[in-house]
Amino acid sequence: MTLRTYSWSSRWTQTAAQRDHVMSAQAKAFFDEGRYFPSAQCYSQCSVSFEEVTLKFLDVGERDALRSYITSRLERTRKTVSDLESWGLTLRASQ
């Protein structure tokens, strides 16, 4: 599939599981093509396990792409934690 096909597919997804499936497929395609940085960005946005992705990048010696993946995952995790904290504070304030 081409990048255009993945972009088109992601527009027509209706559920989080479908979006995750498209993003995982795109990440794998980028990885198989040797496009490690775009692959890292896609992997950071889907539910493929941290361990699996980390080992993939280590196996091919792509430490820079791995660093990019880890950084993106941490940023996403921080945002999630921040959103949860805000939600918790809002909930507590409303009680």
Side-chain angles (χ1 to χ4, degrees), residues 29-75:
F30 280 146
F31 190 89
D32 292 345
E33 294 170 1
R35 298 177 63 195
Y36 299 114
F37 280 96
S39 176
Q41 293 305 306
C42 290
Y43 273 126
S44 73
Q45 298 174 35
C46 65
S47 66
V48 177
S49 76
F50 180 84
E51 295 82 5
E52 181 180 344
V53 175
T54 300
L55 290 173
K56 281 173 99 65
F57 286 115
L58 287 175
D59 285 347
V60 295
E62 279 297 323
R63 293 187 183 275
D64 290 336
L66 175 60
R67 187 176 302 114
S68 174
Y69 165 71
I70 292 171
T71 302
S72 295
R73 272 300 280 262
L74 285 172
E75 287 172 3

